[in-house]
Amino acid sequence: MKRYFLFLFFLVVLSSNPLVAQESIRVVSDFEGASVRVLEIDQESRRISFMPGGDPERGWPCWWYFRVDGITPDENITLRLHGSLASVGKQKPLSASWAMPKYATYSVDGKTWNHSEAGRRDGEWMIYQITPETNSVYVAWGPPFTPKTAAAFVRKMGQRSPYATATELCRSRQDRSVPMLHIKEGDRSNKQRFGVWVQARQHAWESGSSWVAQGFAEWVLSDDEQASWLRKHAEIFIVPIMDIDNTATGNGGKNSIPHDHNRDWSATPHWNEVRAAQQNVKGLINEGRMDVFLDLHNPAPGDPSFFYVLPREMLKEPMISLRDRFIELAYSRISQIKPLIPMSNKPKVTGASYHPLWKQISTNWVSMHGNPHTVSLCLETIWNSKNSTTSGYKSVGANLAAAVREYLAERPVRP
């Protein structure tokens, strides 16, 4: 009997000792879009120190996304983030600020994404605290939007709406499908329709831009009467992810070797996605109906610029006044979404002083090769704010789509 009570005593002691009872926390990154370099896991303090992962030759190493297993539900986990030390050639490592959003993004099911409390900067580290109610949690730089997410969304829209067709832009260099949504309603011929091209994620780490594209598509396919007008008068193409390979493998994409997708709009594109997009856009140009081209991005951490455009002196009328009108309409709607503000309604120019390959930037290429009435814009959605969430991003997309409708409604209807 004495031994029995002694056994019970030690059992109680062991079960009440958190170092014994708690399972070891583990970092898992063997899934689509994941990226992390683990520096240390301190089991006693339940703290994970890490950097963004990714191959620097395949883009800026600022994206991070992984799962933490072995958590005791409702316990506090500390994430300790350091900027990547990787560099390409003689370039210095990327500034840590690109990898350090004010809020970490987390999910207990990999579907619904939330913000952590604001992170705390401690020297070269950013410290986030999360307290998941489950024994496993996904954490990321921003709300992930993977190739599987894109394929599922495009397929769902195609099944739900008689006006949407789930299709494929092309196969990537690594033979991945690049999902695309094609939208139109009614009996108008294509030549009677405005041409609208929307693409996101030419830089793989900019996950927020894909959610903006989703919000755009959801509004266009909604029951709103204005959305119906747009579907009846336009032919709309939406590509949620352009750099599909780097998005799948968790690489940053921007400034990848030999250059990223948004520096590839030349006479001989390197990337299959750019080549295919160019061919589609050229078709709209040849038919005289490349009306609105939108390339969706996320900017630098503190950049308030909302649109990036060619210098005015490089364009002719009516392109300048039409572009200014579209910016006015879009900004008046989107600037009301707080707290994505402050942002600037003064576009940033992307001419010769911006980048050596400035002529090969998508929106510049479309402006220089498009129709006289073409509006071609790069839209940057702020990622480092409290409202940089899936719902916040989709709200930007919905308002952008409504601005497209409002703008095209002012244009002469095609006979």
Side-chain angles (χ1 to χ4, degrees):
M1 183 64 69
K2 184 177 180 181
R3 290 183 178 179
Y4 174 74
F5 284 111
L6 190 61
F7 169 76
L8 288 179
F9 171 78
F10 280 112
L11 186 62
V12 170
V13 170
L14 289 173
S15 64
S16 63
N17 186 338
L19 297 180
V20 176
Q22 286 181 315
E23 184 180 350
S24 295
I25 55 174
R26 304 177 302 282
V27 170
V28 180
S29 58
D30 59 351
F31 51 88
E32 185 180 58
S35 178
V36 66
R37 179 184 171 190
V38 179
L39 302 177
E40 179 189 27
I41 300 179
D42 188 325
Q43 300 293 349
E44 183 174 352
S45 64
R46 312 299 272 179
R47 183 182 69 195
I48 298 170
S49 300
F50 69 99
M51 290 180 179
D55 179 354
E57 291 196 358
R58 299 197 58 190
W60 285 359
C62 55
W63 170 256
W64 47 274
Y65 173 30
F66 55 94
R67 191 177 75 238
V68 182
D69 290 349
I71 302 169
T72 300
D74 297 320
E75 76 163 312
N76 181 264
I77 299 295
T78 300
L79 303 177
R80 192 165 173 259
L81 168 65
H82 193 285
S84 175
L85 300 178
S87 60
V88 180
K90 297 181 180 180
Q91 295 181 359
K92 294 180 180 179
L94 183 68
S95 170
S97 62
W98 290 88
M100 295 180 173
K102 186 174 182 179
Y103 308 90
T105 296
Y106 73 94
S107 172
V108 297
D109 59 6
K111 298 177 182 179
T112 302
W113 297 95
N114 303 289
H115 269 167
S116 70
E117 295 298 320
R120 174 177 59 84
R121 193 67 185 262
D122 182 13
E124 296 182 345
W125 300 87
M126 177 68 92
I127 313 298
Y128 304 104
Q129 305 285 343
I130 57 173
T131 310
E133 63 270 24
T134 58
N135 57 13
S136 181
V137 65
Y138 292 87
V139 293
W141 173 93
F145 194 105
T146 67
K148 289 181 181 177
T149 309
F153 174 70
V154 166
R155 183 171 58 252
K156 181 176 70 173
M157 292 294 99
Q159 293 170 347
R160 285 186 177 181
S161 174
Y163 316 121
T165 301
T167 184
E168 180 182 85
L169 174 65
C170 66
R171 306 291 298 189
S172 71
R173 289 178 68 92
Q174 295 181 6
D175 199 32
R176 291 184 175 89
S177 175
V178 183
M180 181 171 72
L181 199 60
H182 181 217
I183 302 172
K184 62 180 181 178
E185 176 184 349
D187 298 328
R188 285 177 176 270
S189 68
N190 288 342
K191 290 186 178 181
Q192 291 177 301
R193 296 174 180 270
F194 299 108
V196 178
W197 185 274
V198 181
Q199 62 182 35
R201 213 72 171 276
Q202 289 206 90
H203 298 146
W205 68 274
E206 298 170 11
S207 66
S209 64
S210 290
W211 292 104
V212 174
Q214 177 168 326
F216 188 104
E218 289 175 341
W219 186 88
V220 172
L221 292 171
S222 71
D223 294 331
D224 192 301
E225 291 184 4
Q226 294 182 348
S228 178
W229 185 97
L230 183 58
R231 294 194 301 267
K232 291 176 180 177
H233 290 83
E235 183 181 20
I236 305 161
F237 302 86
I238 302 173
V239 185
I241 301 176
M242 285 286 285
D243 188 357
I244 206 85
D245 289 336
N246 280 322
T247 299
T249 54
N251 291 295
K254 184 163 184 174
N255 282 8
S256 61
I257 305 298
H259 46 252
D260 63 48
H261 286 57
N262 202 32
R263 309 291 186 270
D264 193 42
W265 288 65
S266 67
T268 56
H270 175 78
W271 303 108
N272 295 357
E273 299 93 325
V274 173
R275 186 181 305 111
Q278 260 191 357
Q279 290 173 353
N280 280 271
V281 170
K282 283 180 180 178
L284 294 173
I285 293 170
N286 292 338
E287 294 174 356
R289 61 190 191 98
M290 183 62 268
D291 293 279
V292 178
F293 178 94
L294 297 172
D295 187 34
L296 307 179
H297 287 259
N298 292 129
D303 188 352
S305 303
F306 200 54
F307 290 106
Y308 280 64
V309 300
L310 268 179
R312 297 174 67 87
E313 58 269 21
M314 294 194 62
L315 304 176
K316 297 180 180 179
E317 292 291 1
M319 188 178 283
I320 298 173
S321 58
L322 292 176
R323 187 181 74 181
D324 289 348
R325 177 56 177 162
F326 183 86
I327 289 175
E328 178 186 8
L329 293 172
Y331 184 81
S332 67
R333 288 178 174 273
I334 298 171
S335 63
Q336 298 177 38
I337 305 171
K338 299 179 181 293
L340 288 175
I341 315 306
M343 63 183 184
S344 173
N345 65 345
K346 183 178 180 181
K348 182 175 287 188
V349 298
T350 53
S353 62
Y354 179 73
H355 191 279
L357 299 178
W358 65 278
K359 291 183 179 180
Q360 296 178 199
I361 292 174
S362 61
T363 51
N364 292 352
W365 184 92
V366 174
S367 290
M368 291 185 289
H369 292 82
N371 304 124
H373 61 273
T374 296
V375 169
S376 178
L377 293 168
C378 168
L379 183 146
E380 306 267 1
T381 303
I382 294 171
W383 57 267
N384 207 19
S385 83
K386 189 174 183 179
N387 207 31
S388 301
T389 60
T390 55
S391 60
Y393 287 132
K394 288 196 291 183
S395 182
V396 170
N399 279 274
L400 180 64
V404 170
R405 184 269 171 200
E406 187 176 4
Y407 166 76
L408 291 178
E410 296 178 353
R411 303 286 299 143
V413 176
R414 298 188 186 283

